[in-house]
Amino acid sequence: MAGTTFDRLLTLIAYPAPDWEVMLFLRGPVAVDVTGVAEGSQHRLAAAAAVTSDWLTGLYLWSLRATREGEVLTVDEGRIRIAPDVAAIAGAFDPRSHARKVLDAIEAVIEGRATIDQQKYTINNRELWRTPIADLLLLRSRYRDEERREKRAGRHGQSLLGRQVKVRI
């Protein structure tokens, strides 16, 4: 999350510090590079909250690379979404994902169509075609699947950079 401290201690048995150096590359709305610091045989990747506040919200491609004497190896890679700094949001904010927003819109159209039986009508030589209910139901099914995939990925997606944090409020 932007505006919070980023701190990960990595144990890379195949690439121990100080023999190997690691670097994290994030590429998305902005380019971010985080250099690992050796702590014994482990690597610490860290960025202060003041630094991460400049990280723009969005989807990033990340690559963790280990280097030694000119050798460069990719340890792990993936995609990560940097969330906005909740404390910095002033005013209204819609936290729904794209899939949820589209799904809500499709369902509103389906609900509104329940009392309308025309698929097309003409007024003053202008035509309006409505999306057939069958097409709306197909779209709804696709976006439901997409939303399920997003939720599953959020719950089960684990990597060297990601972890689940369970909070009870």
Side-chain angles (χ1 to χ4, degrees):
M1 180 180 298
T4 62
T5 302
F6 174 78
D7 188 8
R8 300 290 186 274
L9 185 61
L10 304 178
T11 302
L12 304 175
I13 296 169
Y15 311 101
D19 298 336
W20 290 85
E21 294 178 353
V22 297
M23 187 128 185
L24 174 65
F25 298 96
L26 294 164
R27 296 299 183 263
V30 295
V32 175
D33 298 338
V34 181
T35 303
V37 176
E39 286 189 16
S41 63
Q42 296 176 304
H43 304 275
R44 180 166 304 277
L45 296 171
V51 173
T52 68
S53 66
D54 292 335
W55 296 1
L56 297 180
T57 300
L59 184 63
Y60 288 76
L61 177 66
W62 64 269
S63 177
L64 181 66
R65 296 184 179 182
T67 60
R68 176 178 69 179
E69 299 172 2
E71 187 176 8
V72 179
L73 300 173
T74 299
V75 176
D76 200 359
E77 60 187 1
R79 295 179 188 274
I80 189 168
R81 181 167 299 282
I82 294 181
D85 180 0
V86 174
I89 298 173
F93 175 72
D94 186 353
R96 296 177 299 165
S97 70
H98 168 73
R100 181 75 252 173
K101 288 176 186 175
V102 172
L103 186 54
D104 287 347
I106 291 168
E107 288 176 344
V109 170
I110 291 171
E111 191 173 308
R113 291 283 300 279
T115 59
I116 301 172
D117 59 353
Q118 306 96 337
Q119 180 161 333
K120 159 184 132 164
Y121 63 90
T122 305
I123 299 173
N124 293 335
N125 294 326
R126 297 178 120 186
E127 288 187 343
L128 174 66
W129 287 80
R130 290 195 168 87
T131 304
I133 291 288
D135 291 351
L136 289 171
L137 294 173
L138 181 62
L139 282 170
R140 181 176 69 172
S141 176
R142 286 183 185 166
Y143 276 95
R144 279 182 174 169
D145 289 344
E146 183 176 332
E147 185 180 40
R148 270 190 226 107
R149 281 192 300 274
E150 287 175 352
K151 286 179 180 177
R152 251 193 324 266
R155 282 193 300 261
H156 303 297
Q158 294 294 311
S159 68
L160 290 173
L161 299 179
R163 66 175 189 233
Q164 289 183 336
V165 179
K166 296 182 181 180
V167 176
R168 182 175 293 160
I169 298 177

